[in-house]
Every structure is written in C-alpha cells, then in structure tokens.
Amino acid sequence: MTTTGAGLPPHVPFPVTDARLRGYRDAVEEAGLSWDGTPVAVVARNTRADGAAAARDLASRLPADALVIAMSDELAIGARQALEDSHPGGVYLGWDASPAAQQLGIISVTNPLRDQGTPLRAARARPG
C-alpha cells in the first residue's frame, strides 16, 4: 500500500514501528518538509522483495535524489535495487547495520541489545 504521511493513522499497534514512524515524522518536519505530503509505503514483511515492490510503486512520486527511509536494511536494499537506474542520486537509510547494507553504501541505524543492556548491568553492580 502506498500513501502519504497524512494517510497514516496517528499511532500503529507495534511499539517499535510506532516509535520509528514518529521519529521519521519529526525529522521530516524539523527539516522544514511536509510529513502530510511525504510518500510512504506500507509493507507486510521486511524483505528485499517487499522493499523493491514498494519502491517501484512510489518511484514516480520520488525525485531522482530521493532519501528513502526504510524500517530495515532488507527493505532499503530492495528499494535501492529497484530504484538504482531510475533514481541514481538516491540515498538509502535502513535499520540493523547489516553487512549487506554496509557493502552497498546504505546508511544504517543500529541499537544492539548488548549496548542497551550494558548500562543496566553497571547500575545493578553498584552498591546501594
């Protein structure tokens, strides 16, 4: 399904997806752009095939130097593969810091569980 930011519900049932979408919306608006007019694709799975299909559906609404923000590296890889000829200046952002995305030059966000747990372990080790 393709829509715009305006076509999305204010919240989605999955907490991680909801938080990421709110972050994306905030970043778009802080950049002075309209979230309501931002093209958005919603897919069923985090696969390269779904990313490619979504990118093809959105291609006509994207500038040649589009920033494609995906919920996973797999989606970003699929989008890049689908758009590499028609949108040569595209920049792709994924999530997971996978080796495959890094090899393709996809910018990727990561928040490893080990890094999340380190402060908790240190706090627990403190007396008192």
Side-chain angles (χ1 to χ4, degrees), residues 114-124 126:
R114 181 179 300 267
D115 293 350
Q116 294 176 39
T118 300
L120 296 174
R121 184 179 61 218
R124 216 172 148 197
R126 279 182 266 175

Side-chain angles (χ1 to χ4, degrees), residues 30-114:
E30 285 175 19
L33 303 171
S34 165
W35 175 249
D36 286 351
T38 298
V40 177
V42 178
V43 299
R45 294 168 309 281
N46 284 318
T47 66
R48 291 180 190 187
D50 282 0
R56 283 191 294 274
D57 287 347
L58 291 174
S60 66
R61 294 192 271 166
L62 301 176
D65 61 350
L67 169 61
V68 175
I69 303 172
M71 292 283 187
S72 73
D73 284 352
E74 288 298 298
L75 291 171
I77 291 168
R80 183 180 182 275
Q81 290 169 339
L83 298 175
E84 61 190 341
D85 291 332
S86 62
H87 293 73
V91 176
Y92 301 86
L93 173 69
W95 189 282
D96 299 327
S98 70
Q102 291 173 358
Q103 287 179 329
L104 293 171
I106 291 172
I107 301 163
S108 188
V109 177
T110 186
N111 191 7
L113 292 175
R114 181 179 300 267

